[in-house]
Amino acid sequence: QMYTQAVNWYLNAQVSGSVPGVGGVKPYVGLRWWAYIDASNEGANWGLVTPLDNAYDGKEAVMAAGTDPWGYKTGGEAANYGDFISVAKAANFVILQFLLLLVP
């Protein structure tokens, strides 16, 4: 939810109309994405996959061992981390649809 709120905020942010010369300008090009994979020394989950190469999709980054559709091992995590991938994908798709409306 926080990611979706941040993406929407950046999309809709603009400089106050009372600022001379730049009023109404949208000052953000995008936001900095974190790493593809978590760094185990950082102590935070900033990646799309864990150090064990499990995606944060609610299926792979779980405690129970399993296999993905290609036969690679999944699971084995210290906890079940939930599904961030689907939320990020949905939020980014909304932005893509908005941007496509701007293209003539």
Side-chain angles (χ1 to χ4, degrees):
Q1 289 175 337
M2 289 176 60
Y3 178 76
T4 301
Q5 290 171 351
V7 167
N8 287 327
W9 186 87
Y10 282 111
L11 178 65
N12 296 304
Q14 64 182 19
V15 177
S16 170
S18 64
V19 179
V22 292
V25 170
K26 293 187 164 283
Y28 297 100
V29 174
L31 58 107
R32 184 175 176 212
W33 190 258
W34 41 88
Y36 169 72
I37 192 165
D38 285 339
S40 57
N41 63 342
E42 71 188 4
N45 297 332
W46 293 106
L48 296 175
V49 299
T50 72
L52 295 177
D53 199 30
N54 290 310
Y56 287 110
D57 63 359
K59 299 175 187 109
E60 291 184 16
V62 295
M63 296 168 67
T67 56
D68 68 13
W70 300 273
Y72 293 100
K73 292 180 182 180
T74 61
E77 300 290 344
N80 294 340
Y81 297 119
D83 183 6
F84 174 72
I85 301 286
S86 296
V87 174
K89 182 178 175 181
N92 291 339
F93 189 69
V94 168
I95 300 299
L96 176 62
Q97 288 178 313
F98 175 80
L99 293 173
L100 290 175
L101 291 174
L102 300 177
V103 176

